[in-house]
Amino acid sequence: MRERGAPLRQSLNTLAGVALGSVLAIAELAFLLVAGLGLLPIVAAPRSRDRVVGYVHRCSRQLTALGQRRLARFHQVRDLGPYSDRSAFRYVARHWPVGILGGLVVLLLLFGLIVAGSMLTAWVFGGEWAFIEEDGNRVSSATVLVAALPGALLLYLNVMGIVGVAGLDERLARRHLTPSAEEVLSRRVSELTLSRAEVVQVVNDERRRIERDLHDGVQQRLVALGLLLSRARRTDDPERAAALVRQAHEESEQALDDLRQVAWRVYPTVLDQYGLRDVIAVLAERSSIPVTLQYDLPTRPPTVIETVAYFVVSEAVTNAAKHSNATQIAITLTPTSEAPLSSGTAAAPVAVPGVTVTVTDDGRGGADPTGRGLSGLASRVAAGDGTFSVHSPIGGPTTIRAELPCG
């Protein structure tokens, strides 16, 4: 249901946005005049070109940022950018006539309201209260009725003019402050190139990590197992041989457990069988710090997203246990969209467009996002077109957040 008073509030926002646009247009026109004078020394001193052009671009960006905030606040245009310095200057150079036009329309509206109010005041209270008099006394009812129809028509045209200026302002901003199809494609190619390099780096880091775990963990236990069995074969004491075999059996169990842990760090195979919820629940149970889990995903995400989400949670919990001195960890998995989670029936939930993973601990904070573990997570998330952020002020808490698109 639409909120009561929303149309009136939207109309007032539009009027305020057009009025502020006219004020900004005056500043833009003054800037362009000063910039035109500032560009003249370039003819005499070409070496100053970069400095002058850079200053002009910085000022145009500041004016454009003000216009962008105005459009977002009063016209609900929030999807502008990114844009270049040249695009910002072009927007400033082309916006000021639209702003001046909006200011004239607003002034015309105020003038019409003053005239109408003066005429109604003179009609009700007499000439001493009004700017408009008829025969030095009152405005007649016939005059008010005759002026009402063209006044209403002019008011309608004036309101439509304000709406038109607001629409023209929005179209101008979208034309100059949103990237073109070529720019979007070029940026996408750059992002994919960077993602490919990050994927290669992540794979190399994971390979070195696996090699280190196998060498320092499993390999050492297998060497110890071989030594125990060798000693058991050489001894003539049955009791000592049985004790050595018993130690070798325990060492083999430890080696198997280490190998299982390495395999889990490579890829948890139970993820395919049980799903993300159960695997993270097991991870929370194994944690040395109490963990609370909130899982609000209505459907199972794709395998790639499940894998990335698992590694984000696993690395965050491991870092918290090793470095944070935390007493509590909170894990939250929610859809990135506020759309309904079901289609009306419990048997047919709607797939969410993305998954948001948040891991928060109440530790001492100060986590370094450029560290090997967190930077590796950032690269892994970026490889899946996701976003990754770490907020860890000194004193805590530390919040690790990853948004993973499913489509």
Side-chain angles (χ1 to χ4, degrees), residues 172-350:
L172 183 67
R174 292 192 181 278
R175 178 179 179 182
H176 293 283
L177 302 183
T178 54
S180 63
E182 291 79 7
E183 292 174 341
V184 171
L185 181 59
S186 176
R187 187 178 298 111
R188 183 58 178 163
V189 170
S190 300
E191 291 175 353
L192 291 176
T193 303
L194 179 61
S195 297
R196 184 182 63 180
E198 291 176 342
V199 168
V200 173
Q201 183 64 33
V202 168
V203 171
N204 291 332
D205 292 342
E206 289 295 330
R207 179 179 56 79
R208 286 191 292 267
R209 181 176 179 177
I210 294 169
E211 291 175 350
R212 184 175 60 253
D213 292 341
L214 291 175
H215 180 272
D216 298 340
V218 179
Q219 180 177 337
Q220 298 301 323
R221 292 195 179 278
L222 292 178
V223 170
L225 175 61
L227 292 176
L228 289 172
L229 293 176
S230 177
R231 292 171 59 188
R233 289 181 58 188
R234 290 196 303 267
T235 184
D236 296 331
D237 186 357
E239 294 182 359
R240 180 167 177 76
L244 291 173
V245 170
R246 187 164 51 252
Q247 293 180 22
H249 180 263
E250 294 175 356
E251 198 69 29
S252 66
E253 290 181 344
Q254 291 293 332
L256 183 61
D257 185 66
D258 289 347
L259 187 59
R260 187 181 298 110
Q261 293 294 332
V262 172
W264 265 69
R265 285 193 291 270
V266 175
Y267 180 79
T269 55
V270 293
L271 192 62
D272 295 332
Q273 182 177 0
Y274 297 106
L276 184 61
R277 181 201 294 268
D278 295 335
V279 173
I280 292 182
V282 172
L283 185 65
E285 292 177 357
R286 293 182 176 181
S287 173
S288 59
I289 302 175
V291 176
T292 58
L293 173 61
Q294 179 184 351
Y295 189 96
D296 295 333
L297 301 180
T299 58
R300 184 172 176 177
T303 303
V304 176
I305 301 302
E306 282 191 329
T307 305
V308 177
Y310 165 77
F311 280 111
V312 170
V313 174
S314 177
E315 185 69 25
V317 172
T318 302
N319 288 343
K322 288 183 178 179
H323 310 294
S324 69
N325 292 333
T327 60
Q328 186 70 35
I329 300 176
I331 303 174
T332 304
L333 290 92
T334 57
T336 57
S337 175
E338 296 181 357
L341 300 183
S342 64
S343 61
T345 61
V350 177

